[in-house]
Amino acid sequence: MQSPWGEIEVADAHVHFFSHGFFSALAAQKSSASETAESVAGTLGWHAPPVADEALAAAWVEELDRCGVARASLIASIPGDERSVAAAVSCYPDRFYGYFMVNPTAPDAAQRVAKGLGEGSLRCVCLFPAIHRFSISDERVRALLDLALSHNALVFVHCGVLTVGVRAKLGLPSQFDMRYSNPIDLHAVALAFPKLRFVIPHFGAGYFREALMLCDLCPNVYLDTSSSNGWTRYQPEPIDLKQVFRRALDVAGPRRLLFGTDSSYFPRGWHSAIFEAQSKALGEIGVSAADARRILGGNVMELLGG
Ligand SMILES: [Zn+2]
């Protein structure tokens, strides 16, 4: 892709793969038995996903090609949907990295992680402590971290403010618990697993200071830059993207920031406005071409091996 630093290989570290299975799971949570994946997508005003995950993967490849994006991390965004992303990665192993959401409190969590990581196409376990109401220091999490370590996988830990817009639009309850969302909770865990790489999305989504403290103390913690970063409204002093990047670069350095958009559905497709805003901010604060290449793609490619 063309950028202020010339041609650059962009990899997006945060794209939700809203598969047919994802929509079907939401439909099943609606009280009306007549809801289907298609009716749920219709309510949202989104394109209904194709039944075949391979077809959705092909649509994403076409979209990434149109936007000049080399690779994307695809997140299976509801527990139990990891097969969808595994299928996408199997079809296009040079375009996608496979991430999947797991609920560590579910009885089959360890089995799912062992199977998912064991097959090779899934490379990152995504944990949402506030959604599934568990502490990241819970024993049940430890078992999953051991598995992630043995497969050299990444572990994504959502911290901070979390709203699942889809659920709100569908009138589904979101009984989340923010007490489990502080990056500080990850401190002892990241120290206990120094060889495991952890990713905190959205710069900590409101816990920016805590996410930076964690990065300062734990070299195995990375930040993803994804979404519009609306959390900047919670800062005691107004802060813009340039200041966010400046501070994150100051503490975490250019090798631990992973560009992401948080793209998720069609017809919007790849959220290029996020890329434009973030690359503009990086340009304005004067990052070098080498660092821009790392942040906008090189880092995640290095983490996940090419
Ligand atoms: Zn997201």
PDB file of all heavy atoms in Angstrom, residues 181-210:
ATOM      1  N   SER A 181     -11.386  -6.173  34.134  1.00  0.00           N
ATOM      2  CA  SER A 181     -10.844  -5.636  32.885  1.00  0.00           C
ATOM      3  C   SER A 181      -9.607  -4.756  33.041  1.00  0.00           C
ATOM      4  O   SER A 181      -9.216  -4.082  32.105  1.00  0.00           O
ATOM      5  CB  SER A 181     -11.946  -4.869  32.152  1.00  0.00           C
ATOM      6  OG  SER A 181     -12.237  -3.683  32.849  1.00  0.00           O
ATOM      7  N   ASN A 182      -8.997  -4.787  34.213  1.00  0.00           N
ATOM      8  CA  ASN A 182      -7.824  -3.917  34.406  1.00  0.00           C
ATOM      9  C   ASN A 182      -6.537  -4.618  33.943  1.00  0.00           C
ATOM     10  O   ASN A 182      -6.249  -5.731  34.378  1.00  0.00           O
ATOM     11  CB  ASN A 182      -7.702  -3.549  35.888  1.00  0.00           C
ATOM     12  CG  ASN A 182      -6.766  -2.376  36.103  1.00  0.00           C
ATOM     13  OD1 ASN A 182      -5.723  -2.289  35.451  1.00  0.00           O
ATOM     14  ND2 ASN A 182      -7.118  -1.485  36.999  1.00  0.00           N
ATOM     15  N   PRO A 183      -5.755  -3.962  33.076  1.00  0.00           N
ATOM     16  CA  PRO A 183      -4.499  -4.588  32.606  1.00  0.00           C
ATOM     17  C   PRO A 183      -3.547  -4.947  33.750  1.00  0.00           C
ATOM     18  O   PRO A 183      -2.717  -5.845  33.602  1.00  0.00           O
ATOM     19  CB  PRO A 183      -3.867  -3.507  31.722  1.00  0.00           C
ATOM     20  CG  PRO A 183      -4.966  -2.573  31.367  1.00  0.00           C
ATOM     21  CD  PRO A 183      -5.985  -2.642  32.464  1.00  0.00           C
ATOM     22  N   ILE A 184      -3.700  -4.260  34.885  1.00  0.00           N
ATOM     23  CA  ILE A 184      -2.830  -4.565  36.027  1.00  0.00           C
ATOM     24  C   ILE A 184      -2.995  -6.030  36.452  1.00  0.00           C
ATOM     25  O   ILE A 184      -2.055  -6.658  36.921  1.00  0.00           O
ATOM     26  CB  ILE A 184      -3.162  -3.608  37.211  1.00  0.00           C
ATOM     27  CG1 ILE A 184      -2.855  -2.152  36.814  1.00  0.00           C
ATOM     28  CG2 ILE A 184      -2.414  -3.997  38.492  1.00  0.00           C
ATOM     29  CD1 ILE A 184      -1.436  -1.865  36.401  1.00  0.00           C
ATOM     30  N   ASP A 185      -4.202  -6.568  36.261  1.00  0.00           N
ATOM     31  CA  ASP A 185      -4.446  -7.979  36.607  1.00  0.00           C
ATOM     32  C   ASP A 185      -3.539  -8.918  35.821  1.00  0.00           C
ATOM     33  O   ASP A 185      -3.300 -10.057  36.223  1.00  0.00           O
ATOM     34  CB  ASP A 185      -5.907  -8.364  36.310  1.00  0.00           C
ATOM     35  CG  ASP A 185      -6.892  -7.581  37.160  1.00  0.00           C
ATOM     36  OD1 ASP A 185      -6.446  -6.916  38.121  1.00  0.00           O
ATOM     37  OD2 ASP A 185      -8.103  -7.629  36.855  1.00  0.00           O
ATOM     38  N   LEU A 186      -3.073  -8.435  34.685  1.00  0.00           N
ATOM     39  CA  LEU A 186      -2.239  -9.290  33.826  1.00  0.00           C
ATOM     40  C   LEU A 186      -0.760  -9.265  34.250  1.00  0.00           C
ATOM     41  O   LEU A 186       0.024 -10.082  33.798  1.00  0.00           O
ATOM     42  CB  LEU A 186      -2.390  -8.812  32.373  1.00  0.00           C
ATOM     43  CG  LEU A 186      -1.765  -9.629  31.252  1.00  0.00           C
ATOM     44  CD1 LEU A 186      -2.225 -11.079  31.274  1.00  0.00           C
ATOM     45  CD2 LEU A 186      -2.101  -8.992  29.895  1.00  0.00           C
ATOM     46  N   HIS A 187      -0.422  -8.361  35.140  1.00  0.00           N
ATOM     47  CA  HIS A 187       0.982  -8.172  35.486  1.00  0.00           C
ATOM     48  C   HIS A 187       1.651  -9.465  35.978  1.00  0.00           C
ATOM     49  O   HIS A 187       2.626  -9.946  35.392  1.00  0.00           O
ATOM     50  CB  HIS A 187       1.090  -7.057  36.537  1.00  0.00           C
ATOM     51  CG  HIS A 187       2.482  -6.814  37.012  1.00  0.00           C
ATOM     52  ND1 HIS A 187       2.780  -6.578  38.323  1.00  0.00           N
ATOM     53  CD2 HIS A 187       3.668  -6.803  36.353  1.00  0.00           C
ATOM     54  CE1 HIS A 187       4.089  -6.407  38.446  1.00  0.00           C
ATOM     55  NE2 HIS A 187       4.651  -6.542  37.268  1.00  0.00           N
ATOM     56  N   ALA A 188       1.101 -10.043  37.043  1.00  0.00           N
ATOM     57  CA  ALA A 188       1.721 -11.239  37.614  1.00  0.00           C
ATOM     58  C   ALA A 188       1.680 -12.406  36.624  1.00  0.00           C
ATOM     59  O   ALA A 188       2.598 -13.234  36.576  1.00  0.00           O
ATOM     60  CB  ALA A 188       1.004 -11.625  38.910  1.00  0.00           C
ATOM     61  N   VAL A 189       0.627 -12.442  35.820  1.00  0.00           N
ATOM     62  CA  VAL A 189       0.474 -13.536  34.851  1.00  0.00           C
ATOM     63  C   VAL A 189       1.531 -13.401  33.743  1.00  0.00           C
ATOM     64  O   VAL A 189       2.177 -14.384  33.356  1.00  0.00           O
ATOM     65  CB  VAL A 189      -0.962 -13.517  34.263  1.00  0.00           C
ATOM     66  CG1 VAL A 189      -1.123 -14.578  33.200  1.00  0.00           C
ATOM     67  CG2 VAL A 189      -1.988 -13.703  35.377  1.00  0.00           C
ATOM     68  N   ALA A 190       1.706 -12.194  33.250  1.00  0.00           N
ATOM     69  CA  ALA A 190       2.704 -11.977  32.187  1.00  0.00           C
ATOM     70  C   ALA A 190       4.114 -12.248  32.712  1.00  0.00           C
ATOM     71  O   ALA A 190       4.975 -12.753  31.979  1.00  0.00           O
ATOM     72  CB  ALA A 190       2.591 -10.549  31.640  1.00  0.00           C
ATOM     73  N   LEU A 191       4.339 -11.949  33.980  1.00  0.00           N
ATOM     74  CA  LEU A 191       5.653 -12.249  34.574  1.00  0.00           C
ATOM     75  C   LEU A 191       5.839 -13.762  34.743  1.00  0.00           C
ATOM     76  O   LEU A 191       6.942 -14.285  34.562  1.00  0.00           O
ATOM     77  CB  LEU A 191       5.787 -11.581  35.943  1.00  0.00           C
ATOM     78  CG  LEU A 191       5.957 -10.058  35.961  1.00  0.00           C
ATOM     79  CD1 LEU A 191       6.024  -9.569  37.409  1.00  0.00           C
ATOM     80  CD2 LEU A 191       7.203  -9.623  35.199  1.00  0.00           C
ATOM     81  N   ALA A 192       4.748 -14.446  35.069  1.00  0.00           N
ATOM     82  CA  ALA A 192       4.831 -15.902  35.270  1.00  0.00           C
ATOM     83  C   ALA A 192       5.027 -16.649  33.949  1.00  0.00           C
ATOM     84  O   ALA A 192       5.485 -17.782  33.940  1.00  0.00           O
ATOM     85  CB  ALA A 192       3.571 -16.402  35.976  1.00  0.00           C
ATOM     86  N   PHE A 193       4.646 -16.000  32.849  1.00  0.00           N
ATOM     87  CA  PHE A 193       4.790 -16.613  31.517  1.00  0.00           C
ATOM     88  C   PHE A 193       5.641 -15.696  30.628  1.00  0.00           C
ATOM     89  O   PHE A 193       5.142 -15.154  29.642  1.00  0.00           O
ATOM     90  CB  PHE A 193       3.411 -16.825  30.878  1.00  0.00           C
ATOM     91  CG  PHE A 193       2.617 -17.942  31.462  1.00  0.00           C
ATOM     92  CD1 PHE A 193       1.826 -17.737  32.586  1.00  0.00           C
ATOM     93  CD2 PHE A 193       2.646 -19.214  30.902  1.00  0.00           C
ATOM     94  CE1 PHE A 193       1.076 -18.779  33.129  1.00  0.00           C
ATOM     95  CE2 PHE A 193       1.903 -20.262  31.440  1.00  0.00           C
ATOM     96  CZ  PHE A 193       1.119 -20.045  32.559  1.00  0.00           C
ATOM     97  N   PRO A 194       6.914 -15.552  30.960  1.00  0.00           N
ATOM     98  CA  PRO A 194       7.731 -14.559  30.230  1.00  0.00           C
ATOM     99  C   PRO A 194       7.918 -14.884  28.751  1.00  0.00           C
ATOM    100  O   PRO A 194       8.212 -13.992  27.958  1.00  0.00           O
ATOM    101  CB  PRO A 194       9.066 -14.575  30.983  1.00  0.00           C
ATOM    102  CG  PRO A 194       9.105 -15.895  31.680  1.00  0.00           C
ATOM    103  CD  PRO A 194       7.678 -16.243  32.001  1.00  0.00           C
ATOM    104  N   LYS A 195       7.726 -16.133  28.383  1.00  0.00           N
ATOM    105  CA  LYS A 195       7.931 -16.501  26.969  1.00  0.00           C
ATOM    106  C   LYS A 195       6.641 -16.408  26.159  1.00  0.00           C
ATOM    107  O   LYS A 195       6.642 -16.589  24.942  1.00  0.00           O
ATOM    108  CB  LYS A 195       8.477 -17.927  26.887  1.00  0.00           C
ATOM    109  CG  LYS A 195       9.879 -18.054  27.478  1.00  0.00           C
ATOM    110  CD  LYS A 195      10.747 -18.905  26.561  1.00  0.00           C
ATOM    111  CE  LYS A 195      12.226 -18.700  26.814  1.00  0.00           C
ATOM    112  NZ  LYS A 195      12.664 -19.334  28.053  1.00  0.00           N
ATOM    113  N   LEU A 196       5.542 -16.170  26.838  1.00  0.00           N
ATOM    114  CA  LEU A 196       4.260 -16.062  26.146  1.00  0.00           C
ATOM    115  C   LEU A 196       4.040 -14.592  25.784  1.00  0.00           C
ATOM    116  O   LEU A 196       4.297 -13.712  26.605  1.00  0.00           O
ATOM    117  CB  LEU A 196       3.178 -16.557  27.112  1.00  0.00           C
ATOM    118  CG  LEU A 196       1.787 -16.897  26.601  1.00  0.00           C
ATOM    119  CD1 LEU A 196       1.831 -17.866  25.422  1.00  0.00           C
ATOM    120  CD2 LEU A 196       0.972 -17.530  27.741  1.00  0.00           C
ATOM    121  N   ARG A 197       3.572 -14.342  24.536  1.00  0.00           N
ATOM    122  CA  ARG A 197       3.340 -12.957  24.110  1.00  0.00           C
ATOM    123  C   ARG A 197       1.861 -12.615  24.267  1.00  0.00           C
ATOM    124  O   ARG A 197       1.003 -13.340  23.768  1.00  0.00           O
ATOM    125  CB  ARG A 197       3.767 -12.758  22.647  1.00  0.00           C
ATOM    126  CG  ARG A 197       5.269 -12.740  22.421  1.00  0.00           C
ATOM    127  CD  ARG A 197       5.887 -14.093  22.165  1.00  0.00           C
ATOM    128  NE  ARG A 197       5.109 -14.966  21.316  1.00  0.00           N
ATOM    129  CZ  ARG A 197       5.260 -15.052  19.988  1.00  0.00           C
ATOM    130  NH1 ARG A 197       6.168 -14.343  19.369  1.00  0.00           N
ATOM    131  NH2 ARG A 197       4.526 -15.905  19.282  1.00  0.00           N
ATOM    132  N   PHE A 198       1.588 -11.536  24.999  1.00  0.00           N
ATOM    133  CA  PHE A 198       0.219 -11.092  25.252  1.00  0.00           C
ATOM    134  C   PHE A 198      -0.068  -9.831  24.438  1.00  0.00           C
ATOM    135  O   PHE A 198       0.810  -8.972  24.310  1.00  0.00           O
ATOM    136  CB  PHE A 198       0.027 -10.763  26.737  1.00  0.00           C
ATOM    137  CG  PHE A 198       0.148 -11.958  27.655  1.00  0.00           C
ATOM    138  CD1 PHE A 198       1.392 -12.321  28.179  1.00  0.00           C
ATOM    139  CD2 PHE A 198      -0.959 -12.718  27.985  1.00  0.00           C
ATOM    140  CE1 PHE A 198       1.523 -13.417  29.022  1.00  0.00           C
ATOM    141  CE2 PHE A 198      -0.839 -13.817  28.826  1.00  0.00           C
ATOM    142  CZ  PHE A 198       0.394 -14.170  29.340  1.00  0.00           C
ATOM    143  N   VAL A 199      -1.279  -9.734  23.934  1.00  0.00           N
ATOM    144  CA  VAL A 199      -1.687  -8.544  23.186  1.00  0.00           C
ATOM    145  C   VAL A 199      -2.885  -7.910  23.870  1.00  0.00           C
ATOM    146  O   VAL A 199      -3.893  -8.588  24.120  1.00  0.00           O
ATOM    147  CB  VAL A 199      -2.076  -8.889  21.727  1.00  0.00           C
ATOM    148  CG1 VAL A 199      -2.537  -7.641  20.978  1.00  0.00           C
ATOM    149  CG2 VAL A 199      -0.922  -9.571  20.996  1.00  0.00           C
ATOM    150  N   ILE A 200      -2.768  -6.629  24.170  1.00  0.00           N
ATOM    151  CA  ILE A 200      -3.900  -5.879  24.728  1.00  0.00           C
ATOM    152  C   ILE A 200      -4.431  -4.971  23.624  1.00  0.00           C
ATOM    153  O   ILE A 200      -3.688  -4.129  23.111  1.00  0.00           O
ATOM    154  CB  ILE A 200      -3.459  -5.046  25.943  1.00  0.00           C
ATOM    155  CG1 ILE A 200      -3.005  -5.987  27.048  1.00  0.00           C
ATOM    156  CG2 ILE A 200      -4.589  -4.146  26.428  1.00  0.00           C
ATOM    157  CD1 ILE A 200      -2.686  -5.301  28.338  1.00  0.00           C
ATOM    158  N   PRO A 201      -5.703  -5.160  23.232  1.00  0.00           N
ATOM    159  CA  PRO A 201      -6.231  -4.329  22.145  1.00  0.00           C
ATOM    160  C   PRO A 201      -6.587  -2.908  22.590  1.00  0.00           C
ATOM    161  O   PRO A 201      -6.749  -2.642  23.790  1.00  0.00           O
ATOM    162  CB  PRO A 201      -7.495  -5.087  21.714  1.00  0.00           C
ATOM    163  CG  PRO A 201      -7.925  -5.833  22.921  1.00  0.00           C
ATOM    164  CD  PRO A 201      -6.671  -6.167  23.695  1.00  0.00           C
ATOM    165  N   HIS A 202      -6.712  -2.052  21.621  1.00  0.00           N
ATOM    166  CA  HIS A 202      -7.176  -0.657  21.790  1.00  0.00           C
ATOM    167  C   HIS A 202      -6.371   0.096  22.859  1.00  0.00           C
ATOM    168  O   HIS A 202      -6.941   0.896  23.616  1.00  0.00           O
ATOM    169  CB  HIS A 202      -8.661  -0.594  22.173  1.00  0.00           C
ATOM    170  CG  HIS A 202      -9.544  -1.629  21.551  1.00  0.00           C
ATOM    171  ND1 HIS A 202      -9.641  -1.807  20.196  1.00  0.00           N
ATOM    172  CD2 HIS A 202     -10.387  -2.549  22.105  1.00  0.00           C
ATOM    173  CE1 HIS A 202     -10.516  -2.789  19.955  1.00  0.00           C
ATOM    174  NE2 HIS A 202     -10.951  -3.264  21.082  1.00  0.00           N
ATOM    175  N   PHE A 203      -5.084  -0.157  22.949  1.00  0.00           N
ATOM    176  CA  PHE A 203      -4.225   0.535  23.932  1.00  0.00           C
ATOM    177  C   PHE A 203      -4.789   0.410  25.357  1.00  0.00           C
ATOM    178  O   PHE A 203      -4.583   1.288  26.196  1.00  0.00           O
ATOM    179  CB  PHE A 203      -4.098   2.032  23.608  1.00  0.00           C
ATOM    180  CG  PHE A 203      -3.415   2.374  22.319  1.00  0.00           C
ATOM    181  CD1 PHE A 203      -4.153   2.765  21.200  1.00  0.00           C
ATOM    182  CD2 PHE A 203      -2.028   2.344  22.224  1.00  0.00           C
ATOM    183  CE1 PHE A 203      -3.522   3.116  20.016  1.00  0.00           C
ATOM    184  CE2 PHE A 203      -1.388   2.698  21.041  1.00  0.00           C
ATOM    185  CZ  PHE A 203      -2.132   3.090  19.936  1.00  0.00           C
ATOM    186  N   GLY A 204      -5.540  -0.655  25.636  1.00  0.00           N
ATOM    187  CA  GLY A 204      -6.113  -0.824  26.980  1.00  0.00           C
ATOM    188  C   GLY A 204      -7.533  -0.277  27.110  1.00  0.00           C
ATOM    189  O   GLY A 204      -8.127  -0.375  28.187  1.00  0.00           O
ATOM    190  N   ALA A 205      -8.071   0.292  26.042  1.00  0.00           N
ATOM    191  CA  ALA A 205      -9.477   0.756  25.996  1.00  0.00           C
ATOM    192  C   ALA A 205      -9.913   1.532  27.245  1.00  0.00           C
ATOM    193  O   ALA A 205     -10.928   1.223  27.869  1.00  0.00           O
ATOM    194  CB  ALA A 205     -10.417  -0.421  25.742  1.00  0.00           C
ATOM    195  N   GLY A 206      -9.131   2.530  27.583  1.00  0.00           N
ATOM    196  CA  GLY A 206      -9.486   3.370  28.735  1.00  0.00           C
ATOM    197  C   GLY A 206      -8.486   3.228  29.868  1.00  0.00           C
ATOM    198  O   GLY A 206      -8.345   4.124  30.704  1.00  0.00           O
ATOM    199  N   TYR A 207      -7.808   2.100  29.900  1.00  0.00           N
ATOM    200  CA  TYR A 207      -6.747   1.891  30.888  1.00  0.00           C
ATOM    201  C   TYR A 207      -5.395   2.121  30.215  1.00  0.00           C
ATOM    202  O   TYR A 207      -4.517   1.251  30.260  1.00  0.00           O
ATOM    203  CB  TYR A 207      -6.814   0.473  31.444  1.00  0.00           C
ATOM    204  CG  TYR A 207      -7.905   0.231  32.464  1.00  0.00           C
ATOM    205  CD1 TYR A 207      -8.917  -0.694  32.232  1.00  0.00           C
ATOM    206  CD2 TYR A 207      -7.896   0.904  33.687  1.00  0.00           C
ATOM    207  CE1 TYR A 207      -9.904  -0.939  33.176  1.00  0.00           C
ATOM    208  CE2 TYR A 207      -8.882   0.667  34.637  1.00  0.00           C
ATOM    209  CZ  TYR A 207      -9.881  -0.255  34.381  1.00  0.00           C
ATOM    210  OH  TYR A 207     -10.842  -0.505  35.323  1.00  0.00           O
ATOM    211  N   PHE A 208      -5.255   3.282  29.599  1.00  0.00           N
ATOM    212  CA  PHE A 208      -4.023   3.555  28.846  1.00  0.00           C
ATOM    213  C   PHE A 208      -2.818   3.582  29.787  1.00  0.00           C
ATOM    214  O   PHE A 208      -1.797   2.961  29.535  1.00  0.00           O
ATOM    215  CB  PHE A 208      -4.176   4.902  28.120  1.00  0.00           C
ATOM    216  CG  PHE A 208      -3.065   5.242  27.170  1.00  0.00           C
ATOM    217  CD1 PHE A 208      -2.494   4.284  26.340  1.00  0.00           C
ATOM    218  CD2 PHE A 208      -2.583   6.550  27.082  1.00  0.00           C
ATOM    219  CE1 PHE A 208      -1.483   4.612  25.449  1.00  0.00           C
ATOM    220  CE2 PHE A 208      -1.574   6.883  26.194  1.00  0.00           C
ATOM    221  CZ  PHE A 208      -1.025   5.916  25.379  1.00  0.00           C
ATOM    222  N   ARG A 209      -2.969   4.297  30.888  1.00  0.00           N
ATOM    223  CA  ARG A 209      -1.860   4.407  31.841  1.00  0.00           C
ATOM    224  C   ARG A 209      -1.475   3.010  32.355  1.00  0.00           C
ATOM    225  O   ARG A 209      -0.296   2.649  32.379  1.00  0.00           O
ATOM    226  CB  ARG A 209      -2.293   5.291  33.011  1.00  0.00           C
ATOM    227  CG  ARG A 209      -1.204   5.542  34.024  1.00  0.00           C
ATOM    228  CD  ARG A 209      -1.728   6.365  35.181  1.00  0.00           C
ATOM    229  NE  ARG A 209      -2.585   5.569  36.040  1.00  0.00           N
ATOM    230  CZ  ARG A 209      -2.501   5.554  37.373  1.00  0.00           C
ATOM    231  NH1 ARG A 209      -1.607   6.298  37.988  1.00  0.00           N
ATOM    232  NH2 ARG A 209      -3.309   4.805  38.081  1.00  0.00           N
ATOM    233  N   GLU A 210      -2.470   2.214  32.716  1.00  0.00           N
ATOM    234  CA  GLU A 210      -2.200   0.879  33.248  1.00  0.00           C
ATOM    235  C   GLU A 210      -1.576  -0.026  32.180  1.00  0.00           C
ATOM    236  O   GLU A 210      -0.682  -0.825  32.472  1.00  0.00           O
ATOM    237  CB  GLU A 210      -3.488   0.251  33.779  1.00  0.00           C
ATOM    238  CG  GLU A 210      -4.004   0.875  35.064  1.00  0.00           C
ATOM    239  CD  GLU A 210      -4.713   2.215  34.870  1.00  0.00           C
ATOM    240  OE1 GLU A 210      -4.823   2.690  33.722  1.00  0.00           O
ATOM    241  OE2 GLU A 210      -5.139   2.799  35.874  1.00  0.00           O
TER     242      GLU A 210
END
